[in-house]
Amino acid sequence: MAQLQRIVISPEQLQEQKISLTPEQLHYLVRVLRSHDGDKFIAIDGTGNWWLTQLQGESGIVIELLDVNTELPIAVSLLLALPKGNGFDDVIRACTELGVTNIVPMLSDRTLLKPSPQKLERWRKIAIEAAEQSERTMIPTILEPMSFYSALSSFPSTQKYICEGRGNHSHLLSYLQKPGIITNDQIIIAIGPEGGWTEAELELAITGGYQPVSLGKRILRAITAPIVALSLISAACEV
Ligand code: SAM
């Protein structure tokens, strides 16, 4: 199935086994890919469903629900302080490929920028494209940017980690290797900005149940750290 074109639809486009294709989707299938009536493609709704579908006029007719399992066995939410420049685009793309569930763009004490609504739209588009490309069944949710203080309590979990490059903290991997890591719970990972966390932020997170962790002996860029954290989680859960 992997070679068939994947088209992301919104759940309301599907009514009784028939998908009403948007003008953009039709243009892509018919004009760009030169598909004809009867040609197959895969419709994805981003919430876990893949359907083998056949083009018929301006619609897609669902043939069957496919059994696809490309998601991590545990939900992972990343709280990410916004880095400078366009680095966040790359973080969203890579973390989507690695299986992230939610990304919270965070305004921390040392974050300079407040992103425009257009940026959020762009990040969501990048997440859709990356999810399609990496054959995921779920499209990660990119939340509205929020303050560090709101972000800390945005998801309930008992597995909450705050990455801190200074200090003598145990490695994230040492927690991930403990038995029972895969639960109904989710893992939350907070990563700071280029300037790092303030003392007040670290203290508040620890009071809120976040475990400070190391990602190794070298200081990673704010855009590298989330990729390392997610790679460790996927290795710990999938190997
Ligand atoms: N200027 C900060 C300093 O000197 O400590 C460095 C901040 S680093 C560029 C950005 C964020 O990445 C940090 O706040 C932390 O969350 C994460 N990070 C980078 N390297 C790390 C490491 N080795 N262990 C844990 N977290 C790390």
Side-chain angles (χ1 to χ4, degrees), residues 163-166 191-197 213-216 218-220 225:
C163 296
E164 169 55 28
R166 312 268 166 197
I191 311 256
E194 274 90 352
W197 303 113
V213 288
S214 162
L215 295 173
R218 293 145 302 278
I219 295 295
L220 307 170

Side-chain angles (χ1 to χ4, degrees), residues 82 104-107 114-116 120 123 142-147:
L82 284 162
V104 182
M106 239 178 7
L107 304 164
K114 181 155 175 26
S116 62
L120 181 61
W123 294 333
I142 317 293
L143 278 79
E144 296 270 346
M146 63 178 84
S147 73

